[in-house]
Amino acid sequence: MDITAINKYLQSASRYRLVVLKDEMPPDDIPKFDIGKSISAYIISENLPHSKDLKMLVNAEFMRLFREIASNDTTFGNAISLCNFGIVFEEKLGLDMRTILKNLSRNYLMVSSINSIYPLVSDSRTL
């Protein structure tokens, strides 16, 4: 993967450090956060599907996992690769991903492939 474009973007001092790659996968040295797998495993292991505290607990677990998985030992400093986004749009979970991504991308480089996002928006009739 050519990291020149990412470095150029980071040097532009943009407010948010969120990169979506069109034809490539994120660099291997950036730790991968499989959001769907991690959050669904947490919900099942804690028997939370019908908990009145589901939203609060899932949000706290998302933040805990994010900080646990993100690494400062990458070419880009604090970084994380995000994949498998589908679960974050489940209304029952109440994750405000726009706010979460805005807040976290100020301090962390967040990289994703369009392949991780595209299935969510590929059929505009369902939106």
Side-chain angles (χ1 to χ4, degrees):
M1 159 173 206
D2 179 17
I3 61 171
T4 307
I6 294 176
N7 280 326
K8 186 176 179 181
Y9 171 72
L10 294 176
Q11 291 170 357
S12 73
S14 64
R15 179 180 292 178
Y16 305 109
R17 299 168 40 132
L18 179 60
V19 175
V20 178
L21 303 171
K22 183 177 179 186
D23 297 319
E24 301 177 53
M25 295 304 291
D28 290 336
D29 68 329
I30 297 179
K32 182 178 178 181
F33 182 10
D34 186 329
I35 300 168
K37 181 178 178 182
S38 299
I39 295 299
S40 61
Y42 170 72
I43 291 169
I44 292 167
S45 71
E46 298 296 320
N47 196 23
L48 297 177
H50 304 292
S51 171
K52 62 181 175 67
D53 298 323
L54 179 66
K55 291 179 182 182
M56 178 189 65
L57 294 170
V58 167
N59 192 56
E61 180 67 2
F62 177 90
M63 298 305 288
R64 186 192 72 74
L65 287 168
F66 184 95
R67 289 192 171 94
E68 179 181 295
I69 295 169
S71 174
N72 191 29
D73 295 333
T74 71
T75 307
F76 310 104
N78 287 331
I80 192 164
S81 169
L82 304 173
C83 68
N84 198 1
F85 280 87
I87 197 167
V88 302
F89 299 105
E90 291 290 332
E91 271 187 57
K92 189 174 182 180
L93 300 183
L95 290 171
D96 180 0
M97 284 310 291
R98 182 174 186 222
T99 301
I100 290 171
L101 291 175
K102 280 176 62 176
N103 291 339
L104 292 173
S105 68
R106 289 185 177 133
N107 299 312
Y108 296 89
L109 170 63
M110 298 189 319
V111 181
S112 186
S113 164
I114 194 70
N115 296 330
S116 293
I117 300 168
Y118 182 74
L120 302 175
V121 296
S122 63
D123 185 358
S124 61
R125 293 171 291 165
T126 62
L127 296 180

